[in-house]
Amino acid sequence: MLGVQIAAHPRCVTTPESHFVYQLIQLELKKGAVLWSEFIAVVERHTFFATWEINPDWQSYADAYDTVDIADGIRWLVWQYRQSKYADKSDILMWVDHTPENVLHSHELLKLFPKARFIHLKRDGRACFASVKNLNWGPNSPTMAANWWLKYVGMGDATARLYPERTIELYYENFVRDYPQVLETLLEQVGLSLNPEDPLSKEHALPEDLLDYQHALVTKKPDPSRLDSWRDDLKRVEIVRFEATANNLLKLNGYQPVAPYEPEIPLASVNCYLWEFFILPFRLLSFGFVWRKYIARTYLRLLRRDSVKSKPDNLV
């Protein structure tokens, strides 16, 4: 949602999630140098790249056996996305990458992009659980969701402490309640001040079908009336189980538990444990139509892809 909002700025673009970036980092850490053909292979084999819905002109950048700087390669790839999806934006200053796992790799990402800024967006963990519990890729049980939330918020807090000059902490609830003033302040903090003659656009280039499948509210304006909807969306036992695991971090971030602290294995939570151990594995095997489409597109692209040719002599 925040990525879409920032992408409305005339000098900014937002790409779909780019989980392949850390695979490129791992490849460079392992080998020390990355060939352009290896870069292409990592990107094209990743299903999330299919969600970008672009066909980069790989040959225009480098020869297959050239050693490339992966940061420059990623910038080039983002520019290919910009040319395909944001052709009307000519004076781009920066791009937004809203891949959730970025918070887990902030140290390596700052080595790649020393001028990067992180926005550590915090939200009530119970609301996070309510938003993903019915999706086939998210944590579907309260215990798993609590540990998932602890991991990401904790890593974001660590990043903010280690790189305070590079990290902006923002609470989702404040953003929603004080929208759009908080958005304007955030844009100023990252160097994207908004001129009166350049209002925020209502357009975005993120895949509509993927957004509708996962989070139908992402492209809509923040709605304060939904901040506490998790209280109705979650069962009492789910709230109890979540708070039993995340109690302390909830309090540290100003989110007050609504249930008494739970004993080790309460009888009321047996159904949650049964879900975790018996039902969840079968659910994770399912993929909705949208994801099947992107998985198919990934393999079809690999089958169609010609071998990367040498860069023309006259290409500067």
Side-chain angles (χ1 to χ4, degrees), residues 20 40-56 58 293-306:
F20 52 82
I40 296 172
V42 168
V43 174
E44 287 213 319
R45 288 173 184 168
H46 205 293
T47 300
F48 265 95
F49 181 64
T51 67
W52 286 44
E53 298 182 332
I54 62 173
N55 293 301
W58 300 109
K293 181 186 78 170
Y294 286 120
I295 292 171
R297 183 175 295 176
T298 299
Y299 289 103
L300 287 173
R301 186 174 61 247
L302 290 174
L303 291 173
R304 291 196 309 265
R305 183 166 65 87
D306 296 328

Side-chain angles (χ1 to χ4, degrees), residues 120-137:
H120 180 26
L121 182 63
K122 296 184 182 183
R123 186 184 186 186
D124 190 320
R126 295 159 296 191
C128 293
F129 173 41
S131 73
V132 301
K133 74 168 189 171
N134 293 322
L135 300 176
N136 55 23
W137 56 262

Side-chain angles (χ1 to χ4, degrees), residues 94-159:
M94 61 183 67
W95 92 86
V96 175
D97 184 330
H98 60 98
T99 310
E101 282 75 9
N102 284 344
V103 72
L104 306 180
H105 312 302
S106 54
H107 183 68
E108 295 298 334
L109 286 171
L110 276 177
K111 288 182 181 179
L112 279 183
F113 308 109
K115 295 182 180 181
R117 302 290 297 274
F118 297 108
I119 300 175
H120 180 26
L121 182 63
K122 296 184 182 183
R123 186 184 186 186
D124 190 320
R126 295 159 296 191
C128 293
F129 173 41
S131 73
V132 301
K133 74 168 189 171
N134 293 322
L135 300 176
N136 55 23
W137 56 262
N140 304 111
S141 76
T143 302
M144 294 178 66
N147 284 300
W148 168 72
W149 185 74
L150 288 169
K151 174 183 178 181
Y152 280 82
V153 174
M155 288 297 291
D157 288 346
T159 297

Side-chain angles (χ1 to χ4, degrees), residues 4 18 72 81 136 159 167 195 197 210 266 272 287 303 307:
V4 169
S18 54
D72 285 342
Y81 184 81
N136 55 23
T159 297
T167 308
N195 297 321
E197 61 273 17
L210 185 61
C272 289
F287 281 93
L303 291 173
S307 58

Side-chain angles (χ1 to χ4, degrees), residues 27-286:
L27 181 63
E28 185 176 56
L29 290 173
K30 179 181 179 180
K31 297 192 60 180
V34 176
L35 302 180
W36 185 233
S37 58
E38 295 172 327
F39 183 103
I40 296 172
V42 168
V43 174
E44 287 213 319
R45 288 173 184 168
H46 205 293
T47 300
F48 265 95
F49 181 64
T51 67
W52 286 44
E53 298 182 332
I54 62 173
N55 293 301
D57 183 10
W58 300 109
Q59 300 175 35
S60 68
Y61 183 79
D63 182 82
Y65 297 102
D66 285 346
T67 300
V68 295
D69 180 278
I70 63 172
D72 285 342
I74 294 168
R75 291 190 187 97
W76 175 85
L77 196 58
V78 171
W79 195 250
Q80 293 281 305
Y81 184 81
R82 173 260 159 191
Q83 290 180 308
S84 174
K85 305 295 184 178
Y86 292 96
D88 58 323
K89 291 188 176 184
S90 58
D91 192 18
I92 301 298
L93 181 64
M94 61 183 67
W95 92 86
V96 175
D97 184 330
H98 60 98
T99 310
E101 282 75 9
N102 284 344
V103 72
L104 306 180
H105 312 302
S106 54
H107 183 68
E108 295 298 334
L109 286 171
L110 276 177
K111 288 182 181 179
L112 279 183
F113 308 109
K115 295 182 180 181
R117 302 290 297 274
F118 297 108
I119 300 175
H120 180 26
L121 182 63
K122 296 184 182 183
R123 186 184 186 186
D124 190 320
R126 295 159 296 191
C128 293
F129 173 41
S131 73
V132 301
K133 74 168 189 171
N134 293 322
L135 300 176
N136 55 23
W137 56 262
N140 304 111
S141 76
T143 302
M144 294 178 66
N147 284 300
W148 168 72
W149 185 74
L150 288 169
K151 174 183 178 181
Y152 280 82
V153 174
M155 288 297 291
D157 288 346
T159 297
R161 182 172 181 177
L162 188 59
Y163 306 110
E165 73 288 353
R166 289 277 156 211
T167 308
I168 299 170
E169 185 177 87
L170 177 63
Y171 281 88
Y172 175 85
E173 292 79 10
N174 293 340
F175 180 83
V176 172
R177 290 191 188 99
D178 299 327
Y179 178 89
Q181 289 78 16
V182 172
L183 175 60
E184 294 173 1
T185 300
L186 179 64
L187 290 172
E188 292 178 1
Q189 288 178 295
V190 297
L192 288 171
S193 298
L194 194 64
N195 297 321
E197 61 273 17
D198 293 325
L200 292 174
S201 167
K202 295 182 180 180
E203 302 296 328
H204 64 85
L206 300 182
E208 287 281 3
D209 53 357
L210 185 61
L211 290 175
D212 290 341
Y213 169 68
Q214 296 188 117
H215 299 298
L217 300 176
V218 164
T219 59
K220 296 178 173 59
K221 289 185 178 181
D223 181 3
S225 68
R226 293 190 54 81
L227 285 177
D228 290 325
S229 61
W230 59 268
R231 296 176 184 269
D232 298 320
D233 296 337
L234 296 179
K235 299 176 183 178
R236 172 74 175 181
V237 68
E238 292 176 324
I239 296 174
V240 170
R241 282 300 305 141
F242 187 97
E243 292 180 358
T245 303
N247 187 288
N248 194 43
L249 193 58
L250 283 169
K251 291 179 178 177
L252 287 173
N253 283 282
Y255 301 116
Q256 292 304 313
V258 299
Y261 193 76
E262 184 191 16
E264 286 298 318
I265 307 180
L267 186 62
S269 295
V270 169
N271 62 337
C272 289
Y273 289 106
L274 290 175
W275 173 269
E276 291 178 17
F277 290 106
F278 296 104
I279 302 175
L280 180 59
F282 295 98
R283 181 162 188 170
L284 294 178
L285 292 175
S286 68

